[in-house]
Amino acid sequence: TGASKTQAAAEVDAAIDRWVWYAGWADKITAVAGAANPVAGPYFNFSTPEPTGVVAVIAPDSPLLGLVSVIAPAIVTGNTTIIVASEPAPLAAITLAEVLATSDLPGGVVNILTGHRTELAPWLASHMDVNAIDLTGVPDEHVQDLEEKAAGNLKRVHRPTATDWTADPGTARMTAFLETKTVWHPVGV
């Protein structure tokens, strides 16, 4: 990408830290996003987060740290992903795909595509088997068209307002790809 050796090493270190940070949420996100709800009656009421399903992600042009920052929150919450790699700098995504293919990650959890966003994004937005789409890497002039295509099958659409990849990621990206299931259970019956 033209970065110096020092800058590249810093981005790799930040990406590794980001993977570790999100991995730490794997057994905690249910406790944070779920709840035991108080109800007036002889019932227990629990809300638990569940994965949305297949999440399409249009990756940002931040080749490694941005890529990791959009993949990790989607998969740590139990989703599978289809990633459209950064168009001007796809090498980091291609290399990451090789690393993931030889890791303990089950096959099919992360699927990385290279190509033109303007060709791939509309298909992902309108595809009936894609349950959510992250428009992080989409230019502003294409967002409305993709949101309209996604609305055709009630797809969740995530469009973050700020993308400072070096900032604390928070939980918003993880919870964007969760659905809440609420269960009622009688007490004392």
Side-chain angles (χ1 to χ4, degrees), residues 1-5 7-9 11-12 60-65 86 88-93:
T1 63
S4 70
K5 186 174 182 178
Q7 291 170 322
E11 185 170 3
V12 169
D61 287 338
S62 173
L64 183 60
L65 183 55
S86 166
L91 186 57

Side-chain angles (χ1 to χ4, degrees), residues 17-116:
D17 288 346
R18 187 63 45 93
W19 277 118
V20 171
W21 189 86
Y22 275 114
W25 279 98
D27 62 346
K28 297 168 187 70
I29 193 68
T30 301
V32 172
N37 308 313
V39 293
Y43 302 98
F44 285 124
N45 181 279
F46 300 99
S47 294
T48 58
E50 292 187 341
T52 296
V54 178
V55 177
V57 179
I58 313 304
D61 287 338
S62 173
L64 183 60
L65 183 55
L67 179 67
V68 168
S69 297
V70 295
I71 292 175
I75 66 173
V76 77
T77 53
N79 297 293
T80 59
T81 57
I82 301 169
I83 312 296
V84 177
S86 166
E87 198 170 325
L91 186 57
I94 294 166
T95 305
L96 180 62
E98 292 178 13
V99 169
L100 295 176
T102 58
S103 71
D104 288 338
L105 190 69
V109 172
V110 176
N111 304 280
I112 299 178
L113 304 174
T114 58
H116 298 288

Side-chain angles (χ1 to χ4, degrees), residues 116-140:
H116 298 288
R117 293 176 186 153
T118 55
E119 293 175 4
L120 297 170
W123 284 101
L124 291 170
S126 62
H127 199 288
M128 295 299 284
D129 290 328
V130 173
N131 307 105
I133 188 163
D134 182 344
L135 301 177
T136 299
V138 174
D140 291 337

